[in-house]
Amino acid sequence: MIIAGQLLLPTSGSRAELAAGWLCIAAGRIAELARGACPHAVDLGGDDYFITPGFIDAHVHLPQFDGIGCDGLPLLEWLNTRIYPMERRWEDSSYAASMTQRVLRQFLSHGTTSFCAYSTVHHQATVAAMEVTRQRGLRACIGQTLIDRLSPEYLTRPTQQQLDEVRLLLERFPPLGESSRVEFGVTPRFAASCTPELMQEVARMARSTGAIVQTHLAETTAECEWVESLFDGKLYTDVYHSMGLLGKRTLLGHGIHLRDEERQVIRRTGSIIAHCPNANVFLQSGVMPRWLWREEGLRVSLGSDIGAGFEVAMPRVARAMIDAAKYLRFSMAPSLSGRGQGGGKVRTGGPLTPTLSQ
Ligand code: GUN
Ligand code: ZN
């Protein structure tokens, strides 16, 4: 197959350029790629086509696609009154399978070919979602969302049951498996909904298998205070660190309200922030100073976080990321007119040095 259009080509580690060109796909791989006019008959494309690698969504909730747009509530209330009842629908694993088909169609129609997702606490539904994704050929990490306390009874499971289910899923969808593009991710929902025993034990399983770990961190100040009160005043990031959950294959959703010492732990362990700019604005959780986190050496990826996020298309999520950086610049940097303003504060626990770079 010959595809022609505007190629997105990397020019250095962080830069790329657009150039007219074409590529040839043979046996499922890019066999040839060239700039300029295509000398062959073109099967797909044209001057106004944009040819890029598939997009990656690093933080998304499969069962929440039906809940996009429940506006006006802060995180914890939104979870309790909108999201948890919606996730209950995945008690029915055939519903989970058909919903996953629908979600995958949406991903592909927006160019997303890889994703890291949460399912629900339901084991059979998670298996169904993973099998559907495997059949469809997308590259994915999917996790059964682990909850063993302080959540509605209908989504809470005994600790031991979840440990057994995690073990089964790690065997069936091994991490870094050669034969499959879908792997299981160890997914404690967040520190408030998991006992220390559950977190410690799944961290051990993740370490021994090399599995990806994904969880939520410091999305709202109310959530930070709740977690700190549950763990004797320990900082939120330190809770995960002490459970053994941080590392190079750990994805931390949001990471907005982080103190200096927390960011140092994240950097030292090589953990990755999944930045979710649409969701952060939608739930009015805060604005993450991405450029500062990057200057400090943190690894940052990008997630739609549907259903708190409302955009499936990753270029639009990236656009929101840029908008967020600009809003922060308005509110934190001295006014360019020289009149000064700089009111907005981010809870970082330390001084922020505004820079005009991203
Ligand atoms: N924190 C714990 N669970 C969730 C969730 O489903 N969505 C978001 N945005 N934050 C969470
Ligand atoms: Zn999330």
Side-chain angles (χ1 to χ4, degrees):
M1 174 181 274
I2 307 279
I3 306 175
Q6 306 298 322
L7 296 168
L8 183 73
L9 297 167
T11 53
S12 71
S14 60
R15 294 191 167 270
E17 67 174 3
L18 274 178
W22 58 276
L23 55 84
C24 170
I25 297 174
R29 299 202 169 257
I30 298 173
E32 207 179 337
L33 181 139
R35 292 174 183 242
C38 182
H40 312 288
V42 172
D43 298 302
L44 185 67
D47 286 347
D48 53 355
Y49 276 64
F50 192 37
I51 303 174
T52 77
F55 300 122
I56 302 169
D57 189 340
H59 183 111
V60 60
H61 296 258
L62 301 177
Q64 294 181 18
F65 271 70
D66 285 344
I68 295 172
C70 298
D71 203 356
L73 298 170
L75 172 69
L76 300 174
E77 214 179 319
W78 172 80
L79 285 172
N80 278 317
T81 63
R82 300 292 186 274
I83 294 305
Y84 291 154
M86 191 168 305
E87 293 195 2
R88 191 175 193 175
R89 294 182 194 166
W90 277 38
E91 276 168 7
D92 176 354
S93 53
S94 62
Y95 181 76
S98 68
M99 182 163 181
T100 303
Q101 291 280 16
R102 189 153 47 88
V103 169
L104 298 184
R105 270 200 301 277
Q106 288 201 46
F107 277 150
L108 289 174
S109 72
H110 289 91
T112 296
T113 53
S114 306
F115 61 89
C116 224
Y118 293 57
S119 69
T120 62
V121 76
H122 308 98
H123 183 66
Q124 289 309 332
T126 305
V127 171
M130 295 185 79
E131 285 296 355
V132 164
T133 307
R134 178 142 75 181
Q135 280 156 23
R136 209 67 169 76
L138 279 81
R139 173 80 178 95
C141 164
I142 300 177
Q144 178 175 330
T145 307
L146 307 174
I147 303 175
D148 69 344
R149 67 164 176 176
L150 301 177
S151 306
E153 209 177 316
Y154 59 80
L155 287 188
T156 307
R157 298 287 181 276
T159 310
Q160 189 55 49
Q161 178 186 331
Q162 292 184 83
L163 294 176
D164 294 342
E165 290 169 351
V166 166
R167 201 165 291 117
L168 288 174
L169 284 164
L170 282 169
E171 279 165 21
R172 184 159 174 175
F173 301 93
L176 310 168
E178 296 289 306
S179 56
S180 168
R181 296 165 67 80
V182 176
E183 67 183 72
F184 178 69
V186 166
T187 310
R189 183 168 208 132
F190 65 148
S193 67
C194 299
T195 58
E197 185 195 352
L198 179 63
M199 287 192 276
Q200 277 163 357
E201 200 47 36
V202 295
R204 204 188 51 70
M205 292 188 212
R207 272 198 308 278
S208 67
T209 55
I212 289 174
V213 172
Q214 51 179 354
T215 188
H216 293 91
L217 172 68
E219 184 174 358
T220 67
T221 51
E223 172 208 7
C224 293
E225 283 158 16
W226 188 25
V227 168
E228 286 166 17
S229 75
L230 290 171
F231 290 87
D232 298 327
K234 204 175 248 183
L235 291 174
Y236 200 161
T237 305
D238 290 342
V239 171
Y240 288 144
H241 193 33
S242 66
M243 299 295 153
L245 284 165
L246 300 186
K248 290 193 172 58
R249 276 173 71 82
T250 298
L251 270 169
L252 301 164
H254 303 280
I256 306 171
H257 305 283
L258 295 170
R259 295 182 188 279
D260 294 353
E261 52 270 48
E262 296 185 273
R263 303 200 300 278
Q264 282 169 21
V265 173
I266 293 170
R267 187 178 51 74
R268 271 206 313 274
T269 56
S271 310
I272 306 162
I273 301 280
H275 178 31
C276 305
N278 293 104
N280 295 347
V281 170
F282 185 78
L283 294 181
Q284 302 178 59
S285 303
V287 185
M288 193 193 90
R290 175 182 174 276
W291 81 88
L292 187 61
W293 286 192
R294 294 283 298 133
E295 276 180 4
E296 290 180 351
L298 267 60
R299 302 166 73 200
V300 181
S301 58
L302 195 61
S304 69
D305 192 26
I306 283 172
F310 47 87
E311 293 282 12
V312 184
M314 291 310 292
R316 293 205 184 122
V317 179
R319 164 89 184 261
M321 172 186 83
I322 293 168
D323 284 347
K326 289 182 178 173
Y327 289 134
L328 266 187
R329 191 169 133 185
F330 292 145
S331 59
M332 292 165 67
S335 140
L336 295 177
S337 70
R339 290 204 168 88
Q341 45 178 35
K345 285 215 169 57
V346 176
R347 176 182 175 267
T348 65
L352 281 173
T353 316
T355 78
L356 298 184
S357 73
Q358 287 233 24

